[in-house]
Amino acid sequence: MFWNYLKSALRNLRKNKLFALINITGLALGLTIYVFGGLLIEYEQTHDQFFKNANRTYTIGSYAAEGLDVGVDLMGSTFSAVGPIIETELTDVELMARTITREFLVKMDAEGFYEPIEFTDPSLLKIFDFSYIQGDDSALEDPSGIVITESLAIKYFGTTDVQGKVVTLDNEFDFSVAAVIRDVPKNSHFNSEIIGSAMQVLAPMKALGRMRNIDEAGDWDNLSIGNMTYVLLPGHLDAEWLDDQLSSIYERLVPINTRDVIGGLFARQLKDANLVIWDMIGLPVVMAIQVLSLLVLAIACVNYTNLATAQSLGRSREVGMRQTMGANKRQLLFQFLVESLTIAAIAMVMAVAALEIIIPLFNNASNKAMTINYLHTLPWLILTTTLVGLFAGAYPAWLITRTKPLDALRDIARKGKKGSKVRSVMIGTQFAISAFMLAVVTIVFMQNQKVEESSYVFPRSEIYTLGRLNIDGIRDRLDTLRHELEAQPNIESVSFSWQVPFEQNNSTYDVALQPGDEAGKIRMHHLSMTPEFLKTYDIPLLEGRNLSRDISNDVRGDESEVVNVLVNELALAKLGIDSPADALNQRLYRITEDNSLRELIIVGIVPTQNIIGLFNTEKPWIFMYQPSSLRIGSVRFTGSDPMKAVDQIESAWKRVIPEYPIQGRFLDDVFNDVYKILKYMNMALAGFAFVALSLAMFGLFGLAAFMATQRTREIGVRKVLGANSFQIARLLVWQFSKPVMWALLAALPAAFFASKVYLGFFADRIDTQMIILLVSGFVSVMLAWGTVAGHAIRISRSNPIIALRYE
């Protein structure tokens, strides 16, 4: 019996090719999005599971202190001093290891490249069972030994037989290769492009202390995303136990000043370490992918249901004949469900075939390694196909089989109004989801565009940055480099600073108008820079003067107790100073426990600008000239040929600092490093919305066809009585418009609240949210009307004699 029904389903598909094409294509598109979303979520949530101890390994993160205002609510890392405290205080912990990432010039033989070095405790090799080509997990117990990956060994030496080879960092520090490990698979947080670049070199933590004068026991000064702390627990303990212990450590042992930065410590399983960036920003990306892919599949199913209903009611005479010949309702229901399952199965095969093309393209674009493991995935695919087939086909099968034999033979089902309310609800629901997604995507796109446009307050397309200037062998030659660059014809200005706009660094001072005034202290961001920084970035002086190399108090030395500074207008507002003129020569006092610089004198005021940008609000800033804290250069060039300017910059660098390769990039690239998160989000949401809207239009086309077929005789009578084509078309479009209108009433308020949550992540928000929502709703209606209008006009122009002879 089943095979007969299957043959009948295939014959029906061949007979109705257009409906079959729309049904299968729409369902295949929805299944493609749904399955891809499921595979992506599974890929992201199963990172690092190939490590033997993955389920017992946890990373330690920090909650941002209340009022810290750095654009994030939590961080996936913590201060390096926390690790040794955990190791000492929590005797139940099996192992603890930290990583601190620093970039160095790495030379092996004659070649040299800048590479990120992960300095770590030797126990890291015990926690993670890396695959060793040479050496073993004791490699980092030697303070001069390093571990390199297979790809790096081949890159530098052309072979993996490199144990004992000498590696030099920054032309100064020699190490020997103690072990070579196979490349860590891409689905690991070690290869996260957002947290940091792929792991290439591991070096002992003790070596970092020797090279950069950093205490091996850790510090409470530096909190960076890529600096991880790992904890290996015994099997009977979990994250809840570790969270309780971390709360106790925070209350007892974290310094008071540090609590102004972090409001607590937390543990997360290793598999979630790669999702840290989304948690930091607060965007529920995984949940969004799940919801959106499910919504797209729901639209595809509703689309199929509407089209299948229109098609199946056209087969009412066939149903009536089968009932007359003795077929019962159960047999008829089974027949139509088999047809629905057949279409779902064909659509799933098409979806899987499409994914075999899409996934490799996605992997190349995103540096991921997603695959379809059919042995693991097949049960889920079969279950999805079955549920979709039953869910999408249940209503049209039930509707046609409940028709009485006499009514079926007279074709009353097709020409009557059975199920019209249900179909209207389905098409309205489908359209509401599509309109909701279109409105949200439009607002997200406009907000992201505003973020990008606001970044042009700085001449980011005219600046080339030079990195890693805080090396002793480079820092002493910065003035020479500046003079050499300024002599080039296409170079307008050159400055050096601790950071440049759009870098997500947050270095702060606590200052007050009176010495030791803890109650009145204000947290202010500070930026070390050379006097040319203002000219390079078009930052005007509102009052006072710029800093100068020729005034001793303008230059902060290591022993300085008083230094002249610039501040922005927001800093004055925070301090309660009424005007820029009143601020000149005002003294500020640092609230600090050490004996370093304590007194700041304001000599100039600049406007408030969002230097960090993106998710951050505008901050109060202090600018000072501190030569020992310059790490990045900014070269402002002129002319329409930026690559010519880059050639001049590289030539000047080679003349002044030949032993270190230049590390330069455009300021545009600095911005795009962070903005790419929003750009990818734009692309993903736009893709979801396009598919959802396309499927909704398919559904509307099916409804229009069904409505026109239902009212063929009515149309003929109206035309005979004098109705013109425009009136007929308007009648059909209006009947169709009813579910669309109430769908908008549901979609637009939902889109308003959803987009309001997204806008809440930004300090600088668009102020046209309501206008965008209304325009999106209008566009949705226009698309819907356009979809059905052509079909309605064609029906309205048909010969009334044909319509009246319809029965």
Side-chain angles (χ1 to χ4, degrees):
M1 184 67 70
F2 172 80
W3 294 110
N4 289 334
Y5 290 154
L6 180 60
K7 291 177 183 178
S8 175
L10 295 175
R11 281 197 301 269
N12 188 57
L13 292 178
R14 287 195 299 269
K15 180 181 177 182
N16 300 281
K17 293 183 176 63
L18 177 61
F19 273 102
L21 178 63
I22 295 176
N23 277 336
I24 294 174
T25 302
L27 209 52
L29 192 56
L31 286 169
T32 300
I33 298 296
Y34 175 75
V35 174
F36 179 81
L39 292 174
L40 179 59
I41 292 168
E42 183 184 36
Y43 176 83
E44 294 294 339
Q45 292 182 334
T46 56
H47 271 45
D48 298 297
Q49 292 304 293
F50 45 81
F51 289 118
K52 179 179 63 177
N53 296 324
N55 293 330
R56 298 194 294 124
T57 303
Y58 299 83
T59 61
I60 308 301
S62 308
Y63 295 108
E66 185 176 355
L68 184 61
D69 191 23
V70 292
V72 298
D73 297 324
L74 55 84
M75 294 150 279
S77 57
T78 191
F79 294 99
S80 58
V82 172
I85 293 176
I86 292 175
E87 193 171 36
T88 302
E89 294 286 322
L90 307 182
T91 56
D92 288 329
V93 168
E94 289 188 14
L95 292 170
M96 183 284 304
R98 301 160 295 167
T99 62
I100 296 179
T101 304
R102 294 286 188 274
E103 192 174 65
F104 283 85
L105 173 63
V106 178
K107 282 192 175 179
M108 303 181 187
D109 289 342
E111 280 197 287
F113 299 91
Y114 288 110
E115 300 284 358
I117 311 296
E118 293 197 39
F119 294 89
T120 182
D121 299 300
S123 53
L124 184 81
L125 302 186
K126 310 290 185 183
I127 295 176
F128 296 99
D129 54 322
F130 299 111
S131 177
Y132 292 86
I133 298 174
Q134 289 187 309
D136 54 35
D137 60 12
S138 64
L140 296 181
E141 294 174 5
D142 178 359
S144 63
I146 63 170
V147 177
I148 66 175
T149 61
E150 177 183 9
S151 60
L152 193 70
I154 293 174
K155 173 182 175 181
Y156 282 100
F157 298 106
T159 178
T160 57
D161 186 17
V162 296
Q163 193 171 18
K165 294 279 188 179
V166 175
V167 176
T168 304
L169 304 185
D170 278 355
N171 294 322
E172 185 178 357
F173 306 101
D174 289 338
F175 291 82
S176 62
V177 178
V180 179
I181 61 174
R182 298 195 185 280
D183 293 337
V184 178
K186 289 184 178 181
N187 57 330
S188 169
H189 77 286
F190 285 117
N191 291 322
S192 171
E193 289 191 343
I194 297 177
I195 298 176
S197 56
M199 184 183 72
Q200 298 285 335
V201 183
L202 293 171
M205 188 71 74
K206 291 181 179 179
L208 182 61
R210 171 168 58 94
M211 299 163 65
R212 290 288 183 263
N213 194 28
I214 295 176
D215 188 353
E216 184 188 345
D219 60 49
W220 297 103
D221 296 325
N222 184 30
L223 182 59
S224 300
I225 294 177
N227 298 348
M228 306 294 289
T229 300
Y230 303 96
V231 172
L232 180 65
L233 295 182
H236 66 281
L237 298 178
D238 57 15
E240 184 177 355
W241 175 87
L242 187 53
D243 278 335
D244 290 340
Q245 305 304 313
L246 291 174
S247 296
S248 175
I249 288 175
Y250 178 82
E251 295 297 332
R252 294 184 295 109
L253 301 171
V254 173
I256 297 297
N257 287 347
T258 303
R259 298 184 195 185
D260 291 338
V261 179
I262 60 172
L265 302 170
F266 65 88
R268 70 167 71 214
Q269 275 200 305
L270 179 65
K271 67 182 178 65
D272 297 325
N274 66 302
L275 300 174
V276 63
I277 188 67
W278 306 115
D279 293 338
M280 287 175 60
I281 298 172
L283 294 174
V285 173
V286 172
M287 181 183 296
I289 293 174
Q290 289 175 320
V291 171
L292 290 174
S293 60
L294 190 58
L295 287 177
V296 168
L297 182 60
I299 292 175
C301 289
V302 173
N303 172 66
Y304 171 81
T305 300
N306 277 311
L307 294 177
T309 300
Q311 183 187 9
S312 62
L313 289 181
R315 299 168 61 189
S316 58
R317 285 176 175 163
E318 173 193 340
V319 172
M321 182 63 69
R322 287 180 59 83
Q323 288 177 322
T324 303
M325 299 298 292
N328 58 42
K329 289 186 178 181
R330 181 178 299 178
Q331 290 173 318
L332 293 171
L333 184 65
F334 187 63
Q335 175 190 347
F336 280 93
L337 288 179
V338 168
E339 292 185 7
S340 176
L341 289 170
T342 301
I343 291 175
I346 295 172
M348 179 61 81
V349 171
M350 291 177 61
V352 172
L355 288 173
E356 288 289 354
I357 299 172
I358 293 171
I359 288 177
L361 296 175
F362 175 77
N363 288 339
N364 290 334
S366 61
N367 195 34
K368 295 185 183 295
M370 279 179 56
T371 58
I372 304 179
N373 183 343
Y374 288 103
L375 187 62
H376 170 71
T377 308
L378 190 59
W380 174 55
L381 296 179
I382 294 174
L383 178 62
T384 300
T385 303
T386 304
L387 291 177
V388 166
L390 294 177
F391 173 78
Y395 175 72
W398 172 82
L399 185 64
I400 190 61
T401 55
R402 67 190 289 263
T403 306
K404 295 179 181 179
L406 183 59
D407 290 340
L409 288 172
R410 294 176 60 195
D411 209 10
I412 290 177
R414 179 165 60 90
K415 294 176 285 185
K417 295 185 177 180
K418 287 188 176 181
S420 60
K421 291 184 179 180
V422 176
R423 290 192 297 275
S424 295
V425 169
M426 287 192 295
I427 204 67
T429 301
Q430 182 186 42
F431 189 81
I433 296 173
S434 303
F436 166 81
M437 293 178 69
L438 178 63
V440 170
V441 166
T442 304
I443 289 178
V444 169
F445 176 79
M446 297 300 292
Q447 173 60 39
N448 294 349
Q449 285 294 107
K450 184 176 181 64
V451 170
E452 184 172 20
E453 290 170 4
S454 65
S455 69
Y456 284 105
V457 67
F458 302 110
R460 62 178 224 196
S461 299
E462 303 170 20
I463 292 178
Y464 192 72
T465 65
L466 304 173
R468 299 201 74 247
L469 304 183
N470 56 333
I471 300 173
D472 292 338
I474 296 178
R475 188 187 296 116
D476 297 338
R477 287 176 272 184
L478 290 184
D479 283 340
T480 305
L481 177 64
R482 177 171 60 86
H483 291 305
E484 189 73 23
L485 288 170
E486 289 176 342
Q488 305 303 311
N490 290 334
I491 305 304
E492 181 177 326
S493 65
V494 180
S495 63
F496 305 109
S497 57
W498 171 251
Q499 71 184 82
V500 294
F502 318 124
E503 283 191 315
Q504 303 299 292
N505 293 331
N506 290 279
S507 300
T508 59
Y509 284 157
D510 285 334
V511 301
L513 292 175
Q514 301 297 327
D517 183 10
E518 286 279 351
K521 70 181 180 181
I522 302 296
R523 171 156 292 161
M524 301 180 70
H525 282 62
H526 69 88
L527 175 63
S528 297
M529 62 165 200
T530 58
E532 299 80 17
F533 188 85
L534 300 188
K535 178 183 178 182
T536 303
Y537 284 96
D538 288 339
I539 302 175
L541 267 171
L542 301 178
E543 197 75 39
R545 64 173 178 83
N546 194 6
L547 301 176
S548 170
R549 290 181 172 81
D550 301 325
I551 300 175
S552 59
N553 275 2
D554 281 9
V555 184
R556 179 187 176 182
D558 293 337
E559 304 300 325
S560 298
E561 295 184 359
V562 180
V563 69
N564 297 331
V565 299
L566 309 178
V567 299
N568 66 356
E569 289 181 290
L570 183 58
L572 303 186
K574 295 285 187 181
L575 292 166
I577 300 175
D578 294 333
S579 69
D582 295 338
L584 292 180
N585 299 315
Q586 173 69 55
R587 293 177 181 268
L588 307 177
Y589 298 91
R590 283 191 62 198
I591 307 299
T592 178
E593 294 180 349
D594 58 32
N595 294 319
S596 62
L597 172 69
R598 289 182 177 274
E599 193 171 337
L600 314 173
I601 301 176
I602 300 174
V603 298
I605 292 88
V606 298
T608 299
Q609 295 173 320
N610 197 343
I611 294 177
I612 301 177
L614 294 169
F615 302 101
N616 292 270
T617 58
E618 293 176 336
K619 305 290 196 307
W621 281 87
I622 295 173
F623 303 87
M624 68 175 64
Y625 178 25
Q626 184 177 358
S628 62
S629 295
L630 305 176
R631 54 171 283 273
I632 189 165
S634 301
V635 183
R636 178 87 175 263
F637 56 84
T638 59
S640 58
D641 187 359
M643 297 315 300
K644 183 177 180 180
V646 171
D647 290 340
Q648 294 175 356
I649 294 168
E650 291 178 346
S651 297
W653 179 280
K654 289 178 181 177
R655 289 193 296 273
V656 179
I657 313 172
E659 65 272 33
Y660 286 91
I662 189 172
Q663 189 181 57
R665 59 176 180 163
F666 292 99
L667 187 62
D668 277 333
D669 296 328
V670 178
F671 173 79
N672 288 329
D673 275 352
V674 183
Y675 184 73
K676 67 182 179 183
I677 297 172
L678 302 183
K679 184 171 67 175
Y680 292 155
M681 186 182 303
N682 276 348
M683 295 169 59
L685 290 177
F688 279 118
F690 174 77
V691 171
L693 202 58
S694 299
L695 289 173
M697 296 307 109
F698 281 152
L700 295 175
F701 176 82
L703 182 62
F706 178 72
M707 287 167 51
T709 304
Q710 263 191 325
R711 306 177 68 175
T712 301
R713 188 179 185 187
E714 175 191 346
I715 291 170
V717 171
R718 287 179 179 273
K719 293 200 72 173
V720 168
L721 294 176
N724 58 39
S725 296
F726 176 76
Q727 291 172 324
I728 299 294
R730 185 178 60 184
L731 176 69
L732 294 176
V733 170
W734 173 243
Q735 181 179 351
F736 146 80
S737 298
K738 293 177 183 177
V740 170
M741 292 304 180
W742 69 252
L744 281 180
L745 293 178
L748 295 185
F752 173 80
F753 289 108
S755 58
K756 191 173 182 178
V757 171
Y758 180 76
L759 295 177
F761 294 114
F762 300 90
D764 188 15
R765 308 181 186 103
I766 58 174
D767 54 7
T768 55
Q769 183 184 9
M770 289 303 301
I771 296 175
I772 293 173
L773 285 173
L774 294 176
V775 171
S776 299
F778 177 77
V779 170
S780 300
V781 172
M782 290 299 102
L783 287 174
W785 281 352
T787 300
V788 74
H791 192 79
I793 291 172
R794 184 179 65 83
I795 293 297
S796 67
R797 289 178 176 176
S798 61
N799 190 328
I801 299 302
I802 297 176
L804 290 173
R805 292 179 58 193
Y806 177 64
E807 297 191 55

